[in-house]
């Protein structure tokens, strides 16, 4: 498995609690959106699923953050999505629309949603269609993904890239794949790949809670290791995000950093 050259050391911000984490994340997203629009005239952002970023999405939909982003120049996609109906409570798309996209003036054709079972034959079919759409979005910003928002599971997964899963082994030009054996339910998902996420200019990990402390400690301690043993690297997939032309920021709460 090809590994990217070591990017600059990650920035690690330890904050008191989840609310502080979401505020710090909102401030970075606003700044990086403005930077991308200044450079490329637009900003594409890959949104994380799960529960940690929910408060961030609420913040971005309200002042003072909402009016600091030129939403007409923003494209949003998902780092991963569960292969479920759009109105399924497990849908990351449903969560982001209800908390953010329904409340900001982002053009509807700038929302690059992951195809759902309603209009695809399988998760693999959905991943193929999504990969094509992601490829087009990457063209907007010179092949870069200005912002990738990431969560991390206690097993070190990020997006739907789980330890030792075959989704970790994709060619350099495959932007999204299906996962049909996710250990975190639901089992069928579509995820951006390591190569896609390593096109990021800024990767922002948001990690909260003591249950994630062991994985976080290992990932951060390996962050400055130039070359990771392939087996060890695949043990905690979050550490495979090493954007060669970007940087990685971790905003974590004290509980997650406790043993750091
Ligand atoms: C998903 C997420 C997933 C999530 C982590 C952390 O669709 O399940 O993308 O990768 O970010 O599992 O989830 P929490 O934020 O809920 O802890």
């Amino acid at each position: 498995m090809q590994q990217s050259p070591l990017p600059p050391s990650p920035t690690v911000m330890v904050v008191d609690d989840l609310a502080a984490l979401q505020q710090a994340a909102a401030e970075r997203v606003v700044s990086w959106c403005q930077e991308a629009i200044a450079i490329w005239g637009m900003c594409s952002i890959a949104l994380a699923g799960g529960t940690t970023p929910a408060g961030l999405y609420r913040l971005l939909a309200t002042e003072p953050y909402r009016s600091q982003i030129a939403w007409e120049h923003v494209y949003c996609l998902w780092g991963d999505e569960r292969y479920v109906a759009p109105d399924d409570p497990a849908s990351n798309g449903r969560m982001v629309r209800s908390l953010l996209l329904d409340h900001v003036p982002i053009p509807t054709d700038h929302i690059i949603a992951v195809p759902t079972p309603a209009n695809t034959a399988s998760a693999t079919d959905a991943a193929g269609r999504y990969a094509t759409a992601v490829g087009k979005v990457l063209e907007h910003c010179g092949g870069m993904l200005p912002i990738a928002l990431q969560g991390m599971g206690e097993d070190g997964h990020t997006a739907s890239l789980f330890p030792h899963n075959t989704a970790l082994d994709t060619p350099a030009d495959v932007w999204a794949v299906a996962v049909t054996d996710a250990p975190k339910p639901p089992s069928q998902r579509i995820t951006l790949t390591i190569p896609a996420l390593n096109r990021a200019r800024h990767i922002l990990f948001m990690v909260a809670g003591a249950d994630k402390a062991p994985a976080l400690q290992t990932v951060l301690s390996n962050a400055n290791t130039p070359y990771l043993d392939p087996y060890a690297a695949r043990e905690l997939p979050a550490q495979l995000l090493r954007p060669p032309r970007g940087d990685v920021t971790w905003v974590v709460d004290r509980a997650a950093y406790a043993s750091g």
Side-chain angles (χ1 to χ4, degrees):
M1 173 189 61
Q2 182 65 30
Q3 289 186 18
S4 300
L6 201 59
S9 296
T11 301
V12 181
M13 288 185 65
V14 184
V15 295
D16 286 339
D17 53 27
L18 186 56
L21 183 156
Q22 291 158 349
Q23 183 163 347
E27 289 163 3
R28 269 140 200 80
V29 168
V30 166
S31 172
W32 292 336
C33 268
Q34 292 172 348
E35 173 195 75
I37 292 168
I39 297 170
W40 294 293
M42 56 192 65
C43 175
S44 44
I45 177 171
L47 301 169
T51 59
T52 304
L56 163 63
Y57 300 141
R58 285 194 193 92
L59 282 178
L60 294 175
T62 55
E63 297 305 342
Y65 304 103
R66 183 180 188 276
S67 56
Q68 294 181 55
I69 294 176
W71 294 99
E72 68 276 16
H73 298 303
V74 174
Y75 286 77
C76 81
L77 55 158
W78 277 261
D80 68 327
E81 179 57 289
R82 293 84 177 274
Y83 189 57
V84 296
D87 60 352
D88 188 304
S91 165
N92 287 332
R94 177 178 182 269
M95 180 265 291
V96 175
R97 287 178 192 275
S98 66
L99 297 178
L100 175 58
L101 300 181
D102 290 349
H103 309 286
V104 295
I106 185 171
T108 50
D109 63 350
H110 286 200
I111 299 173
I112 316 302
V114 180
T116 71
N119 50 24
T120 54
S122 66
T124 301
D125 178 22
R129 296 183 192 204
Y130 188 54
T132 301
V134 171
K136 291 191 174 78
V137 170
L138 287 176
E139 289 168 12
H140 291 322
C141 299
M144 296 289 286
L145 175 60
I147 305 171
L149 303 181
Q150 305 296 135
M152 187 184 77
E154 56 189 89
D155 62 354
H157 81 262
T158 192
S160 287
L161 298 164
F162 293 93
H164 303 294
N165 193 285
T166 53
L168 302 179
D169 306 314
T170 55
D173 59 353
V174 172
W175 306 127
V177 288
V179 174
T180 56
D181 53 355
K184 175 181 178 182
S187 60
Q188 293 209 83
R189 292 155 171 259
I190 289 90
T191 186
L192 290 185
T193 58
I194 301 288
L197 291 167
N198 277 335
R199 287 297 186 95
R201 172 76 187 83
H202 300 292
I203 291 179
L204 179 67
F205 278 100
M206 297 167 281
V207 183
D211 59 335
K212 302 188 179 175
L216 181 61
Q217 181 180 28
T218 305
V219 170
L220 293 182
S221 64
N222 287 345
N224 293 318
T225 305
Y227 179 77
L228 293 175
D229 163 75
Y231 185 85
R234 293 159 64 89
E235 194 76 12
L236 298 166
Q239 60 193 349
L240 294 171
L241 299 195
R242 293 185 162 192
R245 293 186 291 164
D247 53 41
V248 178
T249 299
W250 293 81
V251 183
V252 304
D253 71 359
R254 293 202 185 291
Y257 194 70
S259 51

